[in-house]
Amino acid sequence: MSLIVHKYGGTSMGSTERIKNVAKRVAKWSRAGYQMVVVPSAMSGETNRLLGLAKELSPASQGQGTLRELDMLASTGEQVSSALLAIALQAEGLEAVSYAGWQVAIKTNSAFTKARIESIDDARVRADLAQGKVVIITGFQGVDEQNNITTLGRGGSDTSAVAVAAALKASECLIYTDVDGVYTTDPRVVPEAKRLHTVSFEEMLEMASMGSKVLQIRSVEFAGKYKVPLRVLSSFTPWDIDLTEEASSGTLISFEEDEKMEQAIVSGIAFNRDEAKISVLGVPDKPGIAFQILGAVANANIEVDMIIQNVSKDGKTDFSFTVNRGEHAKTIELLKSKVLPELGASEVVGDTKICKVSIVGIGMRSHVGVASKMFKTLSDEGINIQMISTSEIKTSVVIDEKYMELAVRALHKTFDLDQDKA
Ligand code: ADP
Ligand code: ASP
Ligand code: MG
């Protein structure tokens, strides 16, 4: 009997009515003979509400102790939705049981609010499945070595679902959400965006890492590492649509590079408003400065994304990089207190009003001039580029946040993504 993992996002779990609908859909799959594991997110708005309460009490919730408590707090959202789904499934006449991450257990490291999954014990889940139960496992959370509850970063239920699917060697992981698949760009920003029937794993990885929130980046990394077949589809179709039709709807994340995909030079456009730029000015241009700056940042467990160092003038240079916006103040504080005095740099400045826009496509490997076409489009719109980074299959730029939508729309048009594909 094949085992399937379903993941339902916050909007899909947003009310008891919607949970009932999810239960009916899961029951349909279970009755069709599949072993079912379901990973729900918290009801929509709940994680924000909980974190908002914490902020009222402690506006700068940065200390290790506070981060631990934020995870205690935020993890409750998924516990509520999971229990409600189990109750709804039981009301449908199925045997169902829900578990919090620590009960499974989903073991993580201790990086509170952005923990990484290290192992999943499948014994309890397998025993339940063998007895014909539907097993519900809270998304977004785990437990560390010292039995502290941890969470996996915003959007982390995707990662929980794929990791659970990998641990159980599920035949497929279906990510049910509020759009009917992965689009050429966020359909909420560009209404002309088109759904992709398949997207290559590598493209999805770049799109997710460049800010497409439809899948959390780590879920795509897990899918790649353990070759978990992954599909993104809508939870808003009628629950009783034909199962075969449902199973082939949405967007398949494909591990095969078929010919059709090779033809798309640019498959999608991603954007990210969650970063901030930090520049260390007047740094003496000598070996070791990148290490001194970024080593200190990494030691504080702050992730760095784009990096540039300017050419030096009079033996001094400027060094800029981007971090998550939430860690901007902490990074500046760290640089001012620890790094600047040692470096002999003159100043550190930050800019939170930036965004990153990226074009992604495996066809970029075999085509030249794609990046310059991107730069020309931005220049025609009068948009200044502050930073650039490239990989084999993507080009990203940092621009002023106020031009984000303009840039995404213009690029979507330039690369013919508005056109229906044959
Ligand atoms: P869930 O709560 O189900 O996890 P999310 O809000 O995390 O849902 O992700 C779904 C959202 O991702 C969509 O509503 C859409 O606005 C956004 N999104 C961003 N980029 C894309 C894209 N390329 N294709 C589809 N959706 C996208
Ligand atoms: N509830 C968590 C969040 O809002 C995890 C998730 O939805 O995937 O970020
Ligand atoms: Mg999500």
Side-chain angles (χ1 to χ4, degrees), residues 7 9-10 41-42 47-48 78 139-140 153-158:
K7 180 259 172 178
S41 289
T47 312
N48 285 345
E78 271 70 11
F140 184 49
R154 299 306 305 267
S157 300
D158 297 331

Side-chain angles (χ1 to χ4, degrees), residues 7 9-10 177-179 181-183 185-188 207 212-214:
K7 180 259 172 178
T177 183
D178 55 6
V179 277
V182 178
Y183 278 67
T185 191
D186 189 340
R188 288 182 212 286
M207 277 171 76
S212 268
K213 297 227 165 86
V214 62

Side-chain angles (χ1 to χ4, degrees), residues 72-87:
M72 273 295 280
L73 177 71
S75 64
T76 61
E78 271 70 11
Q79 197 171 323
V80 169
S81 59
S82 294
L84 290 175
L85 181 57
I87 291 166

Side-chain angles (χ1 to χ4, degrees), residues 81-377:
S81 59
S82 294
L84 290 175
L85 181 57
I87 291 166
L89 279 162
Q90 289 166 5
E92 282 296 317
L94 268 80
E95 276 201 74
V97 58
S98 70
Y99 293 118
W102 65 269
Q103 293 173 303
V104 171
I106 298 178
K107 291 267 171 66
T108 71
N109 65 11
S110 303
F112 296 117
T113 74
K114 51 182 177 188
R116 283 177 182 266
I117 295 177
E118 289 177 342
S119 66
I120 297 181
D121 183 351
D122 64 355
R124 198 166 181 178
V125 178
R126 283 203 188 278
D128 288 327
L129 290 172
Q131 289 172 26
K133 291 182 190 163
V134 174
V135 180
I136 298 149
I137 301 174
T138 50
F140 184 49
Q141 61 178 268
V143 63
D144 76 0
E145 197 63 23
Q146 287 77 41
N147 277 342
N148 296 302
I149 290 177
T150 54
T151 67
L152 310 180
R154 299 306 305 267
S157 300
D158 297 331
T159 303
S160 308
V162 179
V164 162
L168 293 167
K169 301 191 177 54
S171 35
E172 196 165 3
C173 180
L174 303 180
I175 308 281
Y176 287 85
T177 183
D178 55 6
V179 277
D180 63 353
V182 178
Y183 278 67
T184 47
T185 191
D186 189 340
R188 288 182 212 286
V189 172
V190 181
E192 295 78 22
K194 296 278 182 286
R195 179 166 63 85
L196 300 162
H197 295 278
T198 55
V199 61
S200 78
F201 158 72
E202 283 176 282
E203 287 171 325
M204 196 62 240
L205 196 61
E206 289 285 13
M207 277 171 76
S209 75
M210 293 304 120
S212 268
K213 297 227 165 86
V214 62
L215 285 177
Q216 199 203 33
I217 169 77
R218 291 208 187 128
S219 70
V220 188
E221 288 169 358
F222 256 102
K225 190 162 171 197
Y226 298 100
K227 294 282 177 294
V228 179
L230 194 59
R231 184 179 287 278
V232 176
L233 66 171
S234 171
S235 69
F236 292 157
T237 53
W239 69 267
D240 54 355
I241 63 167
D242 176 65
L243 194 145
T244 321
E245 188 188 325
E246 183 176 319
S248 59
S249 66
T251 301
L252 176 73
I253 318 302
S254 161
F255 293 100
E256 284 157 34
E257 291 189 13
D258 68 27
E259 279 165 27
K260 192 171 146 279
M261 281 190 284
E262 289 285 4
Q263 285 163 13
I265 299 174
V266 171
S267 299
I269 297 173
F271 53 84
N272 180 349
R273 271 178 279 220
D274 296 340
E275 289 188 17
K277 187 168 81 170
I278 290 173
S279 301
V280 187
L281 308 177
V283 187
D285 194 7
K286 57 179 193 213
I289 55 161
F291 171 67
Q292 267 182 286
I293 297 171
L294 298 179
V297 173
N299 284 340
N301 206 10
I302 297 168
E303 277 176 40
V304 167
D305 181 25
M306 282 163 108
I307 303 168
I308 54 166
Q309 182 181 334
N310 283 345
V311 287
S312 69
K313 226 165 92 190
D314 309 326
K316 302 255 177 186
T317 183
D318 298 338
F319 190 90
S320 299
F321 58 97
T322 61
V323 295
N324 197 290
R325 226 176 253 193
E327 296 187 309
H328 169 250
K330 186 175 161 189
T331 313
I332 292 204
E333 181 49 42
L334 171 84
L335 291 173
K336 279 194 174 149
S337 62
K338 301 232 168 78
V339 183
L340 277 203
E342 279 176 30
L343 266 183
S346 56
E347 208 185 337
V348 51
V349 292
D351 183 359
T352 53
K353 298 215 167 3
I354 58 151
C355 74
K356 184 171 70 173
V357 176
S358 312
I359 55 173
V360 175
I362 46 179
M364 286 169 75
R365 257 187 209 138
S366 46
H367 289 79
V368 290
V370 184
S372 60
K373 197 166 168 185
M374 176 188 201
F375 305 149
K376 177 169 189 313
T377 305

